[in-house]
Structures are given as C-alpha cells and as structure tokens.
Amino acid sequence: MTARRRLVRVPASSANLGPGYDVLAAALTLELELEVSEAGTFSVDADEAVPGDRSNLCVRAFEALHPADGLRFEIRSEIPLARGLGSSAAAIVAGLVAADHLFELGLEHEDIYARAVELEGHPDNVAAALYGGFVLCPPAEGDGDQPPPVRLDPPQGVEPVLVLPIETVPTPAARAAMPTAVGLADAVANVAAASQLVLGIERSDLALIGRGLADRLHQPARRALYERSMDLVDRASELGAIGATISGAGPAVMLWCFWQDTGMVVEAAASETAGWAEVRRVPFSPLGADVPEL
C-alpha cells in the first residue's frame, strides 16, 4: 500500500494595511510549504529557527484535527519570522489544511477559517493565508461565531515592495504598545481612511488607495518599537510610492507602488535602508492555501 502524503503551500500576508487594524489583510507571494507523509514514526524536518517537535505550529494545528503519530512533517518557508508577515498564521493554516486533505475530513473553508482563528487569535492574517487576495474580516459575533471574511481581488496596477529590517519585533510587545482608548477624531479618521482603501482596492483607484493608507490608531502608538520603519512610512511619497504601511505588528514596511514605478521605488528604498534592512519586490497573491497534486 502506497504511503499517503500531501503538500500544502500557504502565502505570507500583510495585515492591518494602515487603517484596517485587525480587519484588513493581503496575501503575498512568499510561501510556506508543508509536506506531510506517512513514515511510521513522528518527525519534523524544519529550519532551526522553529521547533522540531510537537510544539511546532504546523504540527499543533494538524493535531487540532487529527493525531500526528507516524507522520513526517517537512517544512520549508520563505516567510521571515517576527517581521509582521503572518508566519504564524501561515503555519496554522498549513497544518489544518494538511490534516483535512491527508485524512479526507471534508471540511469547508469556513470551518478551517474558524478553527485557525481559534488557534491564532486574530482573523486577518489567517483569512489572507487561506483565501488569498485581499480580505476584510468582520469581528466575532456575540455568540462567539466567526463570520467568514469578504475577499477582494488585488487591485490592478499596484505592486508591493517589502522593506524587511534585520531587527525583529515580538508580536506581544507590539500588542502591549496599543492604547486602551482612542480619541473620537482619530477613530473617525481611521474609518474614513479604511473606507477609501477598500473602495480603492475594489476599483483599482490609485488616488483612493493612497488616501486610504493613512492610520492614526496603531502605527503612531508603536513608533518607538520601529522608528526607522515609521520614518520610511512617513517618507514613502518621496521614494516614489503611492504610500506605505507597517506590515502587521512590524517592523516590516510595505511600500505600495504603481507598477511602472516599482523599480525606481526598489532602488530608492534600498539606498535609504542600506545596512539595516533588505528590500524585496513581492507581488500580491490572488491565491490562498493550495494543495497541488503530487
């Protein structure tokens, strides 16, 4: 009898997108690849930066649906850790999707999404990793049920450029920096910006997108955690970008570019960040978690 195995590919993601704190996110073409196969004994083959035992997020998520006894987990990832690019969400989604397909559990995307949110704690990165494209994630309802996200295709003519600082920022530290209360003017400004951003994405309207990237909620509150990243956000237009946002909890920066300007923005950003960050051209991904035929 042939041993069963499944390969799962899951994209990285950038959450918040400026004003959409814990609500908006986009999938990116950096991938985590998880291959699970029947091997007779349990093992994890992964980069030294992540656990090689059952505490590994891919394995923990897998075991939320089915025991991992006798299985080999091979994990290869292009997603930088602790930079705000959804590495944890990608690992959780990969583990759940692998278990669903390997044991033919027949789960719907909505079921996997709800389970992944339970494990990860926040819906934005999870939704982008699972569904791809851009996602808008309603909060959990009063009874605790997690409504499914709304998905949008990436806007035409817009490309992201990632600035990846060498230094990392732990997500708990970024969460702790958030204010306990928000002023009315700041709240209204973020609602207005998020509305323009969603409409701009749907219409591929660069002017609306540019105005919609402004944030007065989480980025200013976290500035002390990544001062150089925030300086880059403030100066995005000088580099030739439409605008810029901190990716998730940071410190990565996503420069939003009109496609004809992307090369110029890459060069300008590389010059500005020499010695403390890597600059990479990473397109938005219309695809979420995928299980290719082996």
Side-chain angles (χ1 to χ4, degrees):
M1 183 176 178
T2 304
R4 289 178 294 181
R5 66 188 181 103
R6 292 293 186 276
L7 177 67
V8 182
R9 295 191 180 108
V10 182
S13 53
S14 179
N16 302 327
L17 307 184
Y21 182 72
D22 278 359
V23 173
L24 300 178
L28 303 168
T29 54
L30 293 172
E31 289 185 334
L32 179 146
E33 191 173 87
L34 169 65
E35 185 170 348
V36 183
S37 56
E38 293 179 322
T41 57
F42 171 81
S43 64
V44 177
D45 180 3
D47 186 275
E48 292 180 0
V50 298
D53 54 23
R54 275 183 156 87
S55 67
N56 185 286
L57 270 180
C58 288
V59 180
R60 285 169 54 192
F62 188 99
E63 291 205 302
L65 296 178
H66 195 283
D69 300 333
L71 299 178
R72 174 180 174 81
F73 291 75
E74 297 179 67
I75 304 166
R76 299 170 288 275
S77 181
E78 303 173 322
I79 308 174
L81 300 177
R83 302 299 204 287
L85 292 169
S87 58
S88 295
I92 289 168
V93 168
L96 291 171
V97 171
D100 177 46
H101 280 261
L102 189 67
F103 292 101
E104 299 178 353
L105 303 179
L107 296 179
E108 299 291 339
H109 260 39
E110 290 78 7
D111 299 325
I112 294 175
Y113 173 62
R115 184 63 65 91
V117 173
E118 287 178 11
L119 294 171
E120 212 281 337
H122 301 97
D124 42 12
N125 289 108
V126 163
L130 183 59
Y131 291 90
F134 280 69
V135 291
L136 188 158
C137 304
E141 297 171 347
D143 57 5
D145 287 344
Q146 184 67 56
V150 177
R151 184 193 175 281
L152 299 172
D153 287 329
Q156 296 180 4
V158 180
E159 290 187 334
V161 169
L162 294 181
V163 178
L164 307 172
I166 297 171
E167 297 179 355
T168 62
V169 172
T171 299
R175 286 276 163 187
M178 289 297 295
T180 56
V182 179
L184 180 60
D186 292 336
V188 171
N190 264 52
V191 170
S195 301
Q196 292 180 91
L197 179 57
V198 171
L199 191 59
I201 291 168
E202 186 175 38
R203 294 181 176 178
S204 297
D205 185 316
L206 303 189
L208 280 174
I209 290 173
R211 292 197 295 271
L213 298 177
D215 168 63
R216 287 163 60 172
L217 175 60
H218 68 102
Q219 293 178 174
R222 294 166 164 173
R223 186 173 200 114
L225 296 176
Y226 33 66
E227 189 71 42
R228 289 187 292 195
S229 294
M230 281 301 299
D231 287 344
L232 205 62
V233 170
D234 294 340
R235 299 181 53 242
S237 61
E238 298 176 26
L239 304 179
I242 299 167
T245 51
I246 296 294
S247 185
V253 175
M254 187 161 72
L255 296 162
W256 298 59
C257 310
F258 178 55
W259 69 274
Q260 288 184 324
D261 299 330
T262 305
M264 172 186 66
V265 174
V266 169
E267 291 183 9
S271 176
E272 288 287 327
T273 62
W276 66 269
E278 176 190 2
V279 178
R280 299 177 66 176
R281 186 174 185 167
V282 180
F284 294 121
S285 175
L287 303 176
D290 180 46
V291 185
E293 293 290 335
L294 293 174

